[in-house]
Amino acid sequence: MPGLPRVGLRPVEQADLALLSRWDEDPVIGALMGRRFVGQSPAQWLEDVRHSRTSRVWMIEWEGRTVGEVELAQVNRRAGTAEVRVCVGEKALWGRGIGTAAMSALLNEAFVVMGLETVYLRVFTTNLRAIGLYERLGFRREGLLAPSSRRADPAPVLLMNLSRSRWLARKRREPALC
């Protein structure tokens, strides 16, 4: 993926909570990603993240700005699996490759640093931009879930996964992937 912007990932800090809250309350982002802070304060969420053995969250830095966040959730080291999530919260920056670069950095963390074997994700079938990003990175479609009435899902949910071997083979072919 030539020409990806340079992004950095750093741990979430207390000072990021206002930004995360703003993104969480944005109706467009909420419709695509769901809401993070429903039933839990941002401060409690951060405390939980800091002590979690099954979740890691990083902020995305681009050109000196914090522009989004990525997450490994449901980390199961024994099975070598985790769920991935990416959100570029600054909508004016959508379409610039930041999400692709951030997801590439996250996949490097998952597969190279942590040694996981498979990552997976869930995405609404209406989120075509995200599905395109995931497919460009090598994710494969694995299944489809009906919308959850309990969560008031706006559309069916597509399940996708990516294996470590497929990611590493792709990285060898396309060195620009972190």
mmCIF file of all heavy atoms in Angstrom, residues 53-78:
data_model
loop_
_atom_site.group_PDB
_atom_site.id
_atom_site.type_symbol
_atom_site.label_atom_id
_atom_site.label_comp_id
_atom_site.label_asym_id
_atom_site.label_seq_id
_atom_site.Cartn_x
_atom_site.Cartn_y
_atom_site.Cartn_z
ATOM 1 N N ARG A 53 -6.568 -7.590 31.125
ATOM 2 C CA ARG A 53 -5.663 -8.569 30.525
ATOM 3 C C ARG A 53 -6.148 -8.965 29.138
ATOM 4 O O ARG A 53 -5.452 -9.652 28.415
ATOM 5 C CB ARG A 53 -5.576 -9.808 31.414
ATOM 6 C CG ARG A 53 -4.960 -9.504 32.769
ATOM 7 C CD ARG A 53 -4.938 -10.753 33.590
ATOM 8 N NE ARG A 53 -4.241 -11.790 32.839
ATOM 9 C CZ ARG A 53 -3.262 -12.525 33.306
ATOM 10 N NH1 ARG A 53 -2.864 -12.362 34.533
ATOM 11 N NH2 ARG A 53 -2.685 -13.437 32.555
ATOM 12 N N THR A 54 -7.364 -8.532 28.779
ATOM 13 C CA THR A 54 -7.956 -8.975 27.516
ATOM 14 C C THR A 54 -8.228 -7.834 26.539
ATOM 15 O O THR A 54 -8.848 -8.044 25.500
ATOM 16 C CB THR A 54 -9.273 -9.728 27.776
ATOM 17 O OG1 THR A 54 -10.188 -8.853 28.436
ATOM 18 C CG2 THR A 54 -9.040 -10.976 28.606
ATOM 19 N N SER A 55 -7.775 -6.627 26.864
ATOM 20 C CA SER A 55 -8.021 -5.492 25.979
ATOM 21 C C SER A 55 -6.846 -4.529 26.035
ATOM 22 O O SER A 55 -6.307 -4.274 27.109
ATOM 23 C CB SER A 55 -9.309 -4.770 26.418
ATOM 24 O OG SER A 55 -9.560 -3.677 25.583
ATOM 25 N N ARG A 56 -6.465 -4.008 24.865
ATOM 26 C CA ARG A 56 -5.425 -2.976 24.785
ATOM 27 C C ARG A 56 -5.915 -1.918 23.806
ATOM 28 O O ARG A 56 -6.399 -2.244 22.725
ATOM 29 C CB ARG A 56 -4.103 -3.570 24.313
ATOM 30 C CG ARG A 56 -3.553 -4.572 25.345
ATOM 31 C CD ARG A 56 -2.197 -5.073 25.016
ATOM 32 N NE ARG A 56 -1.226 -3.988 25.002
ATOM 33 C CZ ARG A 56 -0.026 -4.097 24.472
ATOM 34 N NH1 ARG A 56 0.347 -5.226 23.904
ATOM 35 N NH2 ARG A 56 0.817 -3.094 24.488
ATOM 36 N N VAL A 57 -5.765 -0.661 24.195
ATOM 37 C CA VAL A 57 -6.245 0.451 23.376
ATOM 38 C C VAL A 57 -5.111 1.445 23.183
ATOM 39 O O VAL A 57 -4.368 1.743 24.125
ATOM 40 C CB VAL A 57 -7.455 1.157 24.034
ATOM 41 C CG1 VAL A 57 -7.988 2.273 23.150
ATOM 42 C CG2 VAL A 57 -8.568 0.161 24.356
ATOM 43 N N TRP A 58 -4.992 1.955 21.956
ATOM 44 C CA TRP A 58 -3.989 2.962 21.638
ATOM 45 C C TRP A 58 -4.664 4.120 20.917
ATOM 46 O O TRP A 58 -5.617 3.936 20.157
ATOM 47 C CB TRP A 58 -2.923 2.406 20.686
ATOM 48 C CG TRP A 58 -2.082 1.313 21.233
ATOM 49 C CD1 TRP A 58 -0.882 1.442 21.863
ATOM 50 C CD2 TRP A 58 -2.340 -0.086 21.148
ATOM 51 N NE1 TRP A 58 -0.382 0.200 22.181
ATOM 52 C CE2 TRP A 58 -1.264 -0.756 21.758
ATOM 53 C CE3 TRP A 58 -3.385 -0.849 20.630
ATOM 54 C CZ2 TRP A 58 -1.194 -2.140 21.855
ATOM 55 C CZ3 TRP A 58 -3.327 -2.227 20.725
ATOM 56 C CH2 TRP A 58 -2.236 -2.856 21.339
ATOM 57 N N MET A 59 -4.111 5.296 21.092
ATOM 58 C CA MET A 59 -4.550 6.464 20.341
ATOM 59 C C MET A 59 -3.715 6.545 19.069
ATOM 60 O O MET A 59 -2.533 6.197 19.065
ATOM 61 C CB MET A 59 -4.372 7.749 21.169
ATOM 62 C CG MET A 59 -5.141 7.751 22.492
ATOM 63 S SD MET A 59 -6.907 7.423 22.346
ATOM 64 C CE MET A 59 -7.461 8.913 21.523
ATOM 65 N N ILE A 60 -4.342 7.026 17.996
ATOM 66 C CA ILE A 60 -3.662 7.199 16.716
ATOM 67 C C ILE A 60 -3.150 8.632 16.645
ATOM 68 O O ILE A 60 -3.917 9.582 16.800
ATOM 69 C CB ILE A 60 -4.622 6.959 15.537
ATOM 70 C CG1 ILE A 60 -5.245 5.568 15.603
ATOM 71 C CG2 ILE A 60 -3.899 7.184 14.199
ATOM 72 C CD1 ILE A 60 -6.437 5.385 14.652
ATOM 73 N N GLU A 61 -1.849 8.778 16.407
ATOM 74 C CA GLU A 61 -1.224 10.087 16.238
ATOM 75 C C GLU A 61 -0.848 10.269 14.774
ATOM 76 O O GLU A 61 -0.250 9.369 14.167
ATOM 77 C CB GLU A 61 0.046 10.183 17.088
ATOM 78 C CG GLU A 61 -0.197 10.105 18.579
ATOM 79 C CD GLU A 61 -0.713 11.400 19.157
ATOM 80 O OE1 GLU A 61 -0.236 12.472 18.726
ATOM 81 O OE2 GLU A 61 -1.592 11.335 20.029
ATOM 82 N N TRP A 62 -1.186 11.420 14.216
ATOM 83 C CA TRP A 62 -0.852 11.733 12.832
ATOM 84 C C TRP A 62 -0.532 13.215 12.756
ATOM 85 O O TRP A 62 -1.320 14.052 13.205
ATOM 86 C CB TRP A 62 -2.027 11.385 11.916
ATOM 87 C CG TRP A 62 -1.841 11.786 10.495
ATOM 88 C CD1 TRP A 62 -1.012 11.199 9.588
ATOM 89 C CD2 TRP A 62 -2.485 12.865 9.819
ATOM 90 N NE1 TRP A 62 -1.116 11.841 8.380
ATOM 91 C CE2 TRP A 62 -2.018 12.873 8.500
ATOM 92 C CE3 TRP A 62 -3.419 13.823 10.201
ATOM 93 C CZ2 TRP A 62 -2.434 13.804 7.560
ATOM 94 C CZ3 TRP A 62 -3.840 14.753 9.273
ATOM 95 C CH2 TRP A 62 -3.342 14.726 7.963
ATOM 96 N N GLU A 63 0.638 13.523 12.227
ATOM 97 C CA GLU A 63 1.094 14.903 12.069
ATOM 98 C C GLU A 63 0.913 15.726 13.357
ATOM 99 O O GLU A 63 0.434 16.852 13.340
ATOM 100 C CB GLU A 63 0.381 15.571 10.892
ATOM 101 C CG GLU A 63 0.743 14.949 9.562
ATOM 102 C CD GLU A 63 0.249 15.734 8.362
ATOM 103 O OE1 GLU A 63 -0.512 16.707 8.514
ATOM 104 O OE2 GLU A 63 0.641 15.348 7.244
ATOM 105 N N GLY A 64 1.298 15.127 14.480
ATOM 106 C CA GLY A 64 1.265 15.828 15.756
ATOM 107 C C GLY A 64 -0.104 15.949 16.398
ATOM 108 O O GLY A 64 -0.251 16.622 17.411
ATOM 109 N N ARG A 65 -1.103 15.295 15.830
ATOM 110 C CA ARG A 65 -2.481 15.366 16.348
ATOM 111 C C ARG A 65 -2.964 13.977 16.729
ATOM 112 O O ARG A 65 -2.608 12.989 16.099
ATOM 113 C CB ARG A 65 -3.434 15.886 15.272
ATOM 114 C CG ARG A 65 -3.180 17.269 14.801
ATOM 115 C CD ARG A 65 -4.085 17.653 13.648
ATOM 116 N NE ARG A 65 -5.497 17.415 13.909
ATOM 117 C CZ ARG A 65 -6.434 17.445 12.978
ATOM 118 N NH1 ARG A 65 -6.124 17.705 11.726
ATOM 119 N NH2 ARG A 65 -7.685 17.232 13.280
ATOM 120 N N THR A 66 -3.817 13.929 17.724
ATOM 121 C CA THR A 66 -4.512 12.693 18.059
ATOM 122 C C THR A 66 -5.776 12.658 17.219
ATOM 123 O O THR A 66 -6.624 13.541 17.329
ATOM 124 C CB THR A 66 -4.851 12.651 19.565
ATOM 125 O OG1 THR A 66 -3.637 12.784 20.307
ATOM 126 C CG2 THR A 66 -5.528 11.350 19.930
ATOM 127 N N VAL A 67 -5.886 11.639 16.351
ATOM 128 C CA VAL A 67 -6.969 11.637 15.359
ATOM 129 C C VAL A 67 -7.887 10.422 15.453
ATOM 130 O O VAL A 67 -8.886 10.358 14.730
ATOM 131 C CB VAL A 67 -6.407 11.756 13.932
ATOM 132 C CG1 VAL A 67 -5.648 13.069 13.762
ATOM 133 C CG2 VAL A 67 -5.535 10.570 13.569
ATOM 134 N N GLY A 68 -7.568 9.462 16.310
ATOM 135 C CA GLY A 68 -8.416 8.280 16.402
ATOM 136 C C GLY A 68 -7.871 7.301 17.418
ATOM 137 O O GLY A 68 -6.982 7.636 18.201
ATOM 138 N N GLU A 69 -8.428 6.094 17.375
ATOM 139 C CA GLU A 69 -7.986 5.059 18.306
ATOM 140 C C GLU A 69 -8.157 3.687 17.679
ATOM 141 O O GLU A 69 -8.954 3.502 16.764
ATOM 142 C CB GLU A 69 -8.738 5.156 19.635
ATOM 143 C CG GLU A 69 -10.224 5.339 19.509
ATOM 144 C CD GLU A 69 -11.046 4.130 19.896
ATOM 145 O OE1 GLU A 69 -10.468 3.123 20.314
ATOM 146 O OE2 GLU A 69 -12.262 4.198 19.747
ATOM 147 N N VAL A 70 -7.338 2.749 18.161
ATOM 148 C CA VAL A 70 -7.409 1.352 17.747
ATOM 149 C C VAL A 70 -7.441 0.489 18.997
ATOM 150 O O VAL A 70 -6.988 0.907 20.064
ATOM 151 C CB VAL A 70 -6.226 0.926 16.846
ATOM 152 C CG1 VAL A 70 -6.278 1.626 15.506
ATOM 153 C CG2 VAL A 70 -4.895 1.158 17.521
ATOM 154 N N GLU A 71 -7.967 -0.714 18.832
ATOM 155 C CA GLU A 71 -8.121 -1.573 20.003
ATOM 156 C C GLU A 71 -7.951 -3.036 19.623
ATOM 157 O O GLU A 71 -8.381 -3.465 18.556
ATOM 158 C CB GLU A 71 -9.517 -1.369 20.598
ATOM 159 C CG GLU A 71 -9.829 -2.235 21.785
ATOM 160 C CD GLU A 71 -11.197 -1.954 22.385
ATOM 161 O OE1 GLU A 71 -11.962 -1.144 21.836
ATOM 162 O OE2 GLU A 71 -11.492 -2.567 23.421
ATOM 163 N N LEU A 72 -7.330 -3.764 20.517
ATOM 164 C CA LEU A 72 -7.369 -5.218 20.521
ATOM 165 C C LEU A 72 -8.250 -5.592 21.705
ATOM 166 O O LEU A 72 -7.932 -5.257 22.846
ATOM 167 C CB LEU A 72 -5.980 -5.819 20.714
ATOM 168 C CG LEU A 72 -5.007 -5.739 19.553
ATOM 169 C CD1 LEU A 72 -3.626 -6.229 19.987
ATOM 170 C CD2 LEU A 72 -5.515 -6.546 18.379
ATOM 171 N N ALA A 73 -9.362 -6.257 21.448
ATOM 172 C CA ALA A 73 -10.296 -6.651 22.501
ATOM 173 C C ALA A 73 -10.429 -8.173 22.506
ATOM 174 O O ALA A 73 -10.032 -8.845 21.551
ATOM 175 C CB ALA A 73 -11.655 -6.001 22.264
ATOM 176 N N GLN A 74 -10.984 -8.688 23.555
ATOM 177 C CA GLN A 74 -11.197 -10.134 23.675
ATOM 178 C C GLN A 74 -9.902 -10.909 23.390
ATOM 179 O O GLN A 74 -9.928 -11.964 22.755
ATOM 180 C CB GLN A 74 -12.309 -10.606 22.725
ATOM 181 C CG GLN A 74 -13.611 -9.840 22.812
ATOM 182 C CD GLN A 74 -14.229 -9.895 24.198
ATOM 183 O OE1 GLN A 74 -14.198 -10.935 24.853
ATOM 184 N NE2 GLN A 74 -14.777 -8.787 24.660
ATOM 185 N N VAL A 75 -8.775 -10.359 23.849
ATOM 186 C CA VAL A 75 -7.490 -11.021 23.611
ATOM 187 C C VAL A 75 -7.475 -12.348 24.368
ATOM 188 O O VAL A 75 -7.684 -12.396 25.576
ATOM 189 C CB VAL A 75 -6.303 -10.140 24.070
ATOM 190 C CG1 VAL A 75 -4.985 -10.875 23.904
ATOM 191 C CG2 VAL A 75 -6.302 -8.817 23.313
ATOM 192 N N ASN A 76 -7.229 -13.420 23.627
ATOM 193 C CA ASN A 76 -7.131 -14.758 24.204
ATOM 194 C C ASN A 76 -5.758 -15.298 23.814
ATOM 195 O O ASN A 76 -5.565 -15.794 22.709
ATOM 196 C CB ASN A 76 -8.250 -15.651 23.668
ATOM 197 C CG ASN A 76 -8.231 -17.034 24.279
ATOM 198 O OD1 ASN A 76 -7.184 -17.566 24.633
ATOM 199 N ND2 ASN A 76 -9.406 -17.636 24.379
ATOM 200 N N ARG A 77 -4.811 -15.158 24.701
ATOM 201 C CA ARG A 77 -3.430 -15.559 24.380
ATOM 202 C C ARG A 77 -3.314 -17.067 24.175
ATOM 203 O O ARG A 77 -2.513 -17.509 23.361
ATOM 204 C CB ARG A 77 -2.483 -15.071 25.463
ATOM 205 C CG ARG A 77 -2.348 -13.550 25.424
ATOM 206 C CD ARG A 77 -1.185 -13.097 26.278
ATOM 207 N NE ARG A 77 -1.094 -11.654 26.292
ATOM 208 C CZ ARG A 77 -0.337 -10.962 25.469
ATOM 209 N NH1 ARG A 77 0.385 -11.563 24.558
ATOM 210 N NH2 ARG A 77 -0.285 -9.646 25.557
ATOM 211 N N ARG A 78 -4.088 -17.835 24.901
ATOM 212 C CA ARG A 78 -4.028 -19.291 24.740
ATOM 213 C C ARG A 78 -4.471 -19.693 23.336
ATOM 214 O O ARG A 78 -3.830 -20.495 22.674
ATOM 215 C CB ARG A 78 -4.899 -19.983 25.783
ATOM 216 C CG ARG A 78 -4.876 -21.510 25.636
ATOM 217 C CD ARG A 78 -5.557 -22.187 26.760
ATOM 218 N NE ARG A 78 -4.670 -22.088 27.911
ATOM 219 C CZ ARG A 78 -5.029 -22.300 29.144
ATOM 220 N NH1 ARG A 78 -6.279 -22.601 29.421
ATOM 221 N NH2 ARG A 78 -4.175 -22.193 30.128
#
